[in-house]
Amino acid sequence: MNTITYKGYIGSVAFSEKDNVFFGKIEGINGLVNFEGESVKELTEAFHEAVDDYLAYCEEEGIEPHKSYSGSLNIRLSPETHSRIAILAKQAGISINAFIKAAVEKQISLMM
């Protein structure tokens, strides 16, 4: 999935060949906020406007706006992988969480 970001919010991006339009929604919030545009520029402007409108709505209603992601993540692993991570983390003298965080950050740096 392609994404764009603005003010800490993530928007999904897709293209409808049938309608000849880019479209998306703000990800990770309670509610559905869509946006669309016929060009990348229009899509980006519509996304920024959607985020700003969402924030204004939350302020008007006294609702705490939700950020797209909190930084807390639950993952499912096989018992074998979990065990191997625990052993490697113990050998490194760090927690399982610190081990997984370092592994994910290393993978991200390789992909960017």
Side-chain angles (χ1 to χ4, degrees):
M1 174 184 357
N2 293 314
T3 60
I4 56 177
T5 59
Y6 176 66
K7 292 186 177 179
Y9 290 87
I10 296 171
S12 60
V13 176
F15 180 73
S16 169
E17 187 174 356
K18 176 184 164 205
D19 299 321
N20 197 35
V21 67
F22 293 98
F23 64 95
K25 68 176 185 162
I26 301 175
E27 298 291 334
I29 62 171
N30 291 336
L32 180 60
V33 179
N34 296 312
F35 52 92
E36 66 177 51
E38 292 183 5
S39 68
V40 172
K41 184 177 190 264
E42 283 184 16
L43 178 80
T44 301
E45 289 171 355
F47 173 58
H48 290 187
E49 186 177 321
V51 170
D52 290 339
D53 288 349
Y54 169 72
L55 293 173
Y57 170 79
C58 288
E59 185 175 338
E60 288 171 11
E61 296 296 318
I63 300 169
E64 183 69 29
H66 294 274
K67 285 285 188 179
S68 291
Y69 298 95
S70 67
S72 179
L73 174 69
N74 293 317
I75 60 170
R76 303 269 184 244
L77 304 169
S78 71
E80 296 80 19
T81 299
H82 193 168
S83 176
R84 290 173 64 194
I85 290 169
I87 291 167
L88 292 169
K90 183 89 166 159
Q91 289 172 343
I94 58 177
S95 68
I96 290 173
N97 190 69
F99 182 88
I100 292 172
K101 180 178 181 241
V104 169
E105 289 173 348
K106 181 178 178 183
Q107 184 65 31
I108 289 170
S109 71
L110 293 173
M111 296 179 78
M112 297 189 118

